[in-house]
Amino acid sequence: MSAMAPVTDDAPRKPTVALALGAGGAKGLAHIGAIEELEAQGFDIVAIAGSSMGALIGGIYAAGKLEVYRDWVVTLDKFDVLKLVDWTFSGGGLIKGEKIIATLLEMVGDALIEELPIAFTAVATDIDRERELWLSRGSLFEAVRASIAIPTVFRPHLVDGRRLVDGGLLNPVPVTPLIREPADYLVAVSVDGPPESSTPDTLDENEPPPRTGLLRRLLPLGGDKALAGDKSQDPGMLELLGRSMDLMQANLARLRLAAYEPDLLIQLPRNVSTAYEFYRARELIELGRERTREMLTGWRQRPTRPARR
């Protein structure tokens, strides 16, 4: 019998991507669809940086548990979301954030960032030193908890004696931590794009979120009409804060992306939802997938240029 020929791996190498995931609350669920579409189209994600919700989704993906999180979040309804909120009136925030982090820890588990199979950086803001902070070592969920600490909504998070808040305050689409990553392409996903009047609206006017007393003051009063731009609807406190953060982050993101241009920008309009509509997860994930597919199609039709090295 003749000797067997040596086995060789002739499979083409997948193009690699360093991925920046932007801030945006519930809108950041679109990142899940973006990640899944990039993988489906043959890209290998080798590094991720995320701000706020981008840090949460990116960190869970880097830990290899995105499918677990996705299967859970698409089951949430309005009451499930409210049950995850642990209200407080001390410590600089309306929400402790302990209940949601405990839920995620039980589902995903913690890990050291430096031991993850994918390079990961969570961007937070050091509120006392007035500068952004790149968290790329230590506890994954300590870093995520710091990055999602929206001022006045979540309590600031203490890490090594520093009071850290939402990374989107200074770096809403964090391409800068990835500039030197050894990937073929730098791809950014932003949910801070210009509003679109054609954005689908699936909220049911006949089933408003439960609001009594304090909740009526905090949560949006306009619902889907507010999303559609009906200025006759009085916003709740959290909605007004959310709109203000959206506007600030959209303008800052535009300046940042002009200074550090990614190879591909996947952008969703900032009026796809409010920051708190996690019960629309299935729809938002699909929007992220569709927009990524559209942008990749147009991108691949352009004249090619050398990949990043």
Side-chain angles (χ1 to χ4, degrees):
M1 182 180 294
S2 59
M4 295 181 62
V7 176
T8 59
D9 184 3
D10 295 326
R13 184 182 75 87
K14 291 182 178 181
T16 57
V17 165
L19 184 61
L21 300 178
K27 293 175 288 183
L29 291 168
H31 295 323
I32 298 174
I35 288 171
E36 291 179 344
E37 187 61 27
L38 284 166
E39 288 188 324
Q41 296 213 23
F43 292 93
D44 184 15
I45 300 170
V46 296
I48 295 180
S51 279
S52 199
M53 190 63 181
L56 190 150
I57 298 297
I60 291 174
Y61 174 75
K65 298 296 180 68
L66 188 63
E67 184 176 352
V68 175
Y69 175 78
R70 181 201 63 207
D71 291 347
W72 169 75
V73 77
V74 297
T75 67
L76 298 180
D77 59 25
K78 296 173 184 177
F79 287 97
D80 292 327
V81 173
L82 284 174
K83 285 188 290 186
L84 290 169
V85 176
D86 43 4
W87 300 103
T88 183
F89 296 95
S90 63
L94 293 169
I95 299 170
K96 296 178 184 177
E98 295 170 1
K99 189 177 292 187
I100 180 60
I101 291 296
T103 301
L104 293 173
L105 278 171
E106 183 178 352
M107 183 190 320
V108 175
D110 201 4
L112 293 175
I113 296 174
E114 58 269 30
E115 295 180 0
L116 295 174
I118 295 174
F120 174 71
T121 301
V123 178
T125 300
D126 185 327
I127 195 66
D128 296 312
R129 294 175 176 83
E130 300 180 354
R131 66 184 184 186
E132 69 182 75
L133 191 65
W134 300 352
L135 302 171
S136 55
R137 298 185 64 82
S139 163
L140 172 62
F141 273 95
E142 286 288 308
V144 168
R145 173 62 183 84
S147 188
I148 66 172
I150 303 171
T152 75
V153 177
F154 284 101
R155 284 177 173 174
H157 192 58
L158 286 174
V159 176
D160 297 331
R162 295 170 294 192
R163 288 191 301 172
L164 305 183
V165 296
D166 196 299
L169 285 181
L170 295 179
N171 198 349
V173 187
V175 295
T176 40
L178 297 170
I179 291 296
R180 298 184 184 277
E181 287 293 341
D184 295 326
Y185 301 106
L186 175 58
V187 176
V189 185
S190 168
V191 292
D192 290 322
E196 294 180 5
S197 59
S198 61
T199 299
D201 176 20
T202 62
L203 294 178
D204 184 354
E205 286 186 349
N206 298 317
E207 189 192 357
R211 303 183 197 101
T212 58
L214 176 63
L215 288 183
R216 182 175 295 277
R217 295 176 56 205
L218 294 175
L219 297 176
L221 299 180
D224 53 353
K225 293 180 181 178
L227 284 178
D230 185 347
K231 295 181 175 58
S232 67
Q233 301 296 317
D234 293 330
M237 290 168 61
L238 291 184
E239 183 186 350
L240 184 59
L241 175 62
R243 288 190 195 179
S244 302
M245 289 282 291
D246 283 351
L247 183 60
M248 177 195 72
Q249 290 179 354
N251 282 277
L252 182 55
R254 187 175 69 251
L255 294 172
R256 283 275 189 154
L257 291 170
Y260 304 98
E261 184 180 3
D263 296 297
L264 176 65
L265 173 62
I266 300 164
Q267 193 171 58
L268 281 81
R270 59 180 178 269
N271 64 334
V272 291
S273 81
T274 68
Y276 312 105
E277 294 179 288
F278 287 90
Y279 49 86
R280 295 175 63 190
R282 193 179 302 275
E283 174 196 358
L284 293 167
I285 292 169
E286 191 57 34
L287 284 171
R289 189 190 322 278
E290 291 173 359
R291 186 56 59 95
T292 301
R293 187 179 301 132
E294 292 170 6
M295 296 302 298
L296 284 172
T297 299
W299 185 49
R300 283 174 161 166
Q301 290 173 351
R302 300 175 196 164
T304 58
R305 71 178 189 180
R308 296 172 69 249
R309 293 296 180 191

